[in-house]
Amino acid sequence: QQPVQSPQAVILREGEDAVINCSSSKALYSVHWYRQKHGEAPVFLMILLKGGEQKGHEKISASFNEKKQQSSLYLTASQLSYSGTYFCGTASRPGNTPLVFGKGTRLSVIA
Amino acid sequence: DVKVTQSSRYLVKRTGEKVFLECVQDMDHENMFWYRQDPGLGLRLIYFSYDVKMKEKGDIPEGYSVSREKKERFSLILESASTNQTSMYLCASQSGMGSDTQYFGPGTRLTVL
């Protein structure tokens, strides 16, 4: 079952914050976040594993709520370089199982 | 740095042609994947492989086949290309740990006329 991402698109001014959500109807073991710039390959941002751990990466961080079966990606003090499409990929169990990706959230940061 | 390469960035083929998309990774990863990416639909899994000569169907395998004769190479085959297979095709590789990150290639934009 494909996870649902929200919002579908968001426009920010430089310095503003944003939250991107990823919700699943299935219990999750891991959530993977990627960013894809136009014409480029998706680039890995971070993985969150079962345990409700929050992770950080520069001014981008994420949380994972197992009970709610959702993850949120937080972008603070956004920069122009944050523009792109953000995807979450989910796995319902450990081990070799393919990720199921959401449809993506298009983020545009303007000056 | 992990490197995943794909044989072509852009490809134009005619309906009915047999099409080969090649993917090579240089990190000795066990797992390899083929996705197609269409506007508004995100990344959809076509086929994946956890070992040489092993393949599993993903969510949308119809009209595609794959081949993995060597660990580093995973090929996607369109036996008889159709216009609805016009898309961006992305290959990815991953270590055998399953919960490790996937590394994506640059993609092949295929147009079927």
Side-chain angles (χ1 to χ4, degrees):
Chain A
Q1 199 79 11
Q2 192 173 31
V4 176
Q5 287 187 234
S6 62
Q8 289 184 319
V10 58
I11 300 174
L12 298 175
R13 291 200 177 275
E14 271 187 296
E16 290 183 335
D17 301 340
V19 180
I20 299 171
N21 297 304
C22 174
S23 297
S24 174
S25 58
K26 295 175 74 170
L28 296 177
Y29 172 75
S30 67
V31 180
H32 305 229
W33 284 99
Y34 291 81
R35 176 173 63 206
Q36 183 180 30
K37 293 186 178 287
H38 185 69
E40 299 179 10
V43 173
F44 167 75
L45 294 176
M46 64 189 78
I47 292 176
L48 296 104
L49 300 177
K50 192 174 177 179
E53 186 179 344
Q54 182 145 354
K55 283 204 168 182
H57 179 76
E58 297 178 347
K59 293 181 183 175
I60 301 174
S61 62
S63 63
F64 179 19
N65 188 320
E66 295 159 49
K67 274 190 178 178
K68 292 185 178 179
Q69 296 167 186
Q70 73 177 34
S71 175
S72 296
L73 186 71
Y74 306 95
L75 299 103
T76 57
S78 59
Q79 306 166 14
L80 294 174
S81 61
Y82 286 4
S83 293
T85 301
Y86 290 77
F87 292 98
C88 66
T90 60
S92 56
R93 55 185 171 86
N96 281 334
T97 180
L99 297 179
V100 181
F101 286 91
K103 293 182 179 181
T105 295
R106 178 172 282 185
L107 178 77
S108 301
V109 181
I110 57 176
Chain B
D1 265 2
V2 174
K3 197 163 185 184
V4 181
T5 56
Q6 294 183 227
S7 49
S8 306
R9 290 300 306 270
Y10 300 94
L11 208 53
V12 180
K13 295 291 181 180
R14 296 209 175 273
T15 302
E17 280 193 83
K18 191 168 186 175
V19 182
F20 292 87
L21 302 183
E22 300 281 332
C23 175
V24 178
Q25 51 96 359
D26 66 357
M27 279 302 290
D28 202 35
H29 283 170
E30 288 80 6
N31 304 341
M32 296 188 75
F33 308 84
W34 274 106
Y35 297 88
R36 65 176 282 175
Q37 184 175 29
D38 300 288
L41 298 179
L43 293 159
R44 293 182 294 165
L45 182 64
I46 305 171
Y47 268 96
F48 59 101
S49 169
Y50 289 145
D51 203 351
V52 175
K53 296 193 185 293
M54 175 271 177
K55 59 186 177 185
E56 293 278 351
K57 291 180 181 179
D59 299 317
I60 50 164
E62 295 78 20
Y64 304 95
S65 62
V66 290
S67 171
R68 193 163 182 202
E69 296 295 320
K70 293 185 177 181
K71 191 175 185 180
E72 67 271 18
R73 189 179 297 267
F74 192 34
S75 302
L76 180 70
I77 304 154
L78 288 69
E79 293 290 341
S80 178
S82 63
T83 54
N84 63 13
Q85 292 179 309
T86 291
S87 186
M88 170 67 85
Y89 290 89
L90 288 163
C91 173
S93 76
Q94 181 191 46
S95 76
M97 295 303 292
S99 58
D100 200 357
T101 187
Q102 288 188 4
Y103 295 89
F104 285 87
T108 296
R109 184 164 293 282
L110 173 68
T111 302
V112 183
L113 302 174

